[in-house]
Amino acid sequence: MKALVLAERSETARALAAGARLMADDVVLVAIASLQVEEGTADKIVRIALPDGAVYDDAADTVISVFDAERPGLVLVEPTRRMKMIAGKLAVHTGTSVITDVMEFGVEGAKSLYFGGIAERVQKPTGEVAIYTVTADAFVDAEPSGANVTEDFAWVVPAKPLDLISSKPLEKSGTDLFKADIIVAAGRGFAEKDELDLARKLCEKIGAGLGCSRPLTEGVNWLPTEAYIGVSGVMLAPKVYVGAGISGQMQHMVGCNRAGTIFAINKDKNAPIFKQCDYGIVGDLKTILPELVASL
Ligand SMILES: Cc1cc2nc3c(=O)[nH]c(=O)nc-3n(C[C@H](O)[C@H](O)[C@H](O)COP(=O)(O)OP(=O)(O)OC[C@H]3O[C@@H](n4cnc5c(N)ncnc54)[C@H](O)[C@@H]3O)c2cc1C
C-alpha cells in the first residue's frame, strides 16, 4: 500500500512519514511551498510551488491531483487549520470522511477525541482510502526512511481561487512550542495583558516557551493563535508544563496532559487542574510567579 503525507512543518512531516512507514510500503510526502524536508524522510517528495499571488489554501486542488496520480490507500495529515481544510476537500473528492485528531493507532483502530475532547473513540475507515489527521506524537519510536526522490508537480488552478486582499507576517509568541522542553501556559487568571510579563519572566528564567489557553487568543487576542494549547489548538508533550491561572478544562488539558511533569498555579484550591497535576501551588499568580522567579 502507498501512503501520502501532508504536513506544514518539517518535524511533523518527518514524524508522520515515520508513522506512514509502519503502515505502508511506499511513502510519498507532499511538500507545499517552501517546506524543508530532511534527508531520508520518504520514498518520494512531491513539491508543489505556490505561484505568485496564490494562497496556501488554494493548493487543495493540486493536492487532489497528486492524490489521483499516486492513488494512495492511506493519507496522514498534520492537524493544522490549513491542512484540515485540504483533508476535507480530499475526503469529498474521494467520497470518504476524515478520521480526525488521531492520537494513536492500535489493532482496534485509530483512537481520537471528540465532543471537544471530553470523550474518546476508536474508529476504523470504511472506504478504500483512509484519511486521518494525526498528531506527530502518535508515532513515538518510529523512524522515517526513503530516498527522497523529488518531483515537481504542476500547479492546478483552483476553480474558485481565494482573493488575497492583504497579508501581514504572523506574530510569533517566541519559542516554537513544538520544540520546547518546558512550557508555561497562561490562562484567564491573567486579568490584564501586561500581567503576561510575569509569565514571560518565568519563561526566561527556566528556558520555557509561552503558551496559553484558548480565551487568551480567540477572546482577547493577547497571544497568537498558534500559542493556544488544547483539542482545537496545539497538542504538545513537553517534559514540563506549568499551567498558571488555568482552570484545567478537558479541552485544554488534552493538549498538554502527556507532559512529563505538570505543575499548576491557581488561586482556587478546587480548580480541576489540581486533580490533573503532579505539583500544585494554591495562590495568586501575581504573588507566586515573582516569588518563583526570585527563588529559582
Ligand atoms: C469545542 C471546544 C473546544 C475547545 N478547545 C479548547 C482548546 O483547544 N484549548 C483551550 O484552552 N480551551 C478550549 N476550549 C475552552 C475550554 O473549554 C475552557 O473554556 C478554557 O480552556 C478555559 O480557559 P482558562 O482555564 O484560561 O479560563 P477559566 O476556565 O476562566 O479559568 C481561569 C482560572 O484562573 C484562576 N485564577 C483567576 N485569577 C487568578 C489569579 N490571580 N491567580 C491564580 N489563578 C487565578 C481561576 O481560579 C480559574 O481556575 C474549548 C471549548 C470548546 C467548547
Side-chain angles (χ1 to χ4, degrees):
M1 185 181 50
K2 191 182 275 187
L4 206 62
V5 174
L6 300 171
E8 271 191 63
R9 297 178 315 110
S10 311
E11 301 84 22
T12 315
R14 203 170 159 75
L16 297 193
R21 177 65 68 205
L22 299 174
M23 302 156 90
D25 310 307
D26 279 324
V27 179
V28 178
L29 169 68
V30 180
I32 302 172
S34 56
L35 180 78
Q36 302 282 322
V37 182
E38 285 180 39
E39 273 180 34
T41 296
D43 297 301
K44 185 166 159 188
I45 314 296
V46 177
R47 287 220 156 267
I48 299 175
L50 291 190
D52 284 347
V55 293
Y56 198 99
D57 310 57
D58 280 341
D61 295 67
T62 313
V63 172
I64 288 170
S65 291
V66 172
F67 176 90
D68 287 343
E70 299 290 341
R71 306 302 311 167
L74 168 72
V75 185
L76 298 185
V77 184
E78 180 179 7
T80 62
R81 278 154 210 260
R82 295 191 297 196
M83 282 300 176
K84 282 180 185 172
M85 187 278 301
I86 291 175
K89 288 191 172 177
L90 195 54
V92 171
H93 176 71
T94 56
T96 185
S97 53
V98 184
I99 297 181
T100 56
D101 298 325
V102 175
M103 304 186 78
E104 64 184 69
F105 289 91
V107 279
E108 300 290 311
K111 193 199 272 188
S112 57
L113 299 167
Y114 71 132
F115 286 147
I118 59 166
E120 259 181 25
R121 67 180 158 197
V122 175
Q123 289 171 281
K124 275 197 164 160
T126 47
E128 283 176 18
V129 183
I131 306 178
Y132 302 98
T133 65
V134 51
T135 158
D137 302 319
F139 310 106
V140 208
D141 296 322
E143 281 296 324
S145 60
N148 279 19
V149 174
T150 302
E151 174 188 317
D152 292 322
F153 203 89
W155 179 256
V156 175
V157 179
K160 292 180 185 160
L162 292 171
D163 277 339
L164 181 62
I165 295 164
S166 70
S167 68
K168 61 175 185 177
L170 202 62
E171 187 196 335
K172 297 280 177 194
S173 64
T175 319
D176 180 349
L177 294 184
F178 285 96
K179 291 182 182 159
D181 282 340
I182 311 175
I183 288 171
V184 174
R188 226 163 18 190
F190 289 75
E192 307 282 341
K193 188 177 183 184
D194 288 350
E195 285 179 10
L196 286 177
D197 286 343
L198 299 171
R200 288 198 177 94
K201 282 185 182 141
L202 179 61
C203 287
E204 275 169 34
K205 193 80 181 209
I206 59 177
L210 180 61
C212 62
S213 62
R214 188 163 88 168
L216 263 59
T217 63
E218 293 187 348
V220 291
N221 235 0
W222 290 350
L223 286 167
T225 319
E226 78 265 13
Y228 91 77
I229 297 163
V231 67
S232 41
V234 290
M235 311 272 273
L236 305 165
K239 288 186 181 152
V240 176
Y241 164 93
V242 184
I246 284 185
S247 55
Q249 297 302 317
M250 178 68 82
Q251 291 88 356
H252 178 81
M253 296 310 288
V254 292
C256 60
N257 61 13
R258 282 171 300 148
T261 308
I262 298 181
F263 294 85
I265 303 165
N266 197 302
K267 69 178 184 184
D268 175 6
K269 67 176 171 40
N270 296 316
I273 197 165
F274 286 129
K275 291 207 171 80
Q276 304 165 74
C277 67
D278 300 290
Y279 301 95
I281 302 175
V282 179
D284 191 320
L285 62 87
K286 292 195 286 301
T287 316
I288 305 293
L289 288 175
E291 280 179 8
L292 267 179
V293 171
S295 61
L296 284 166

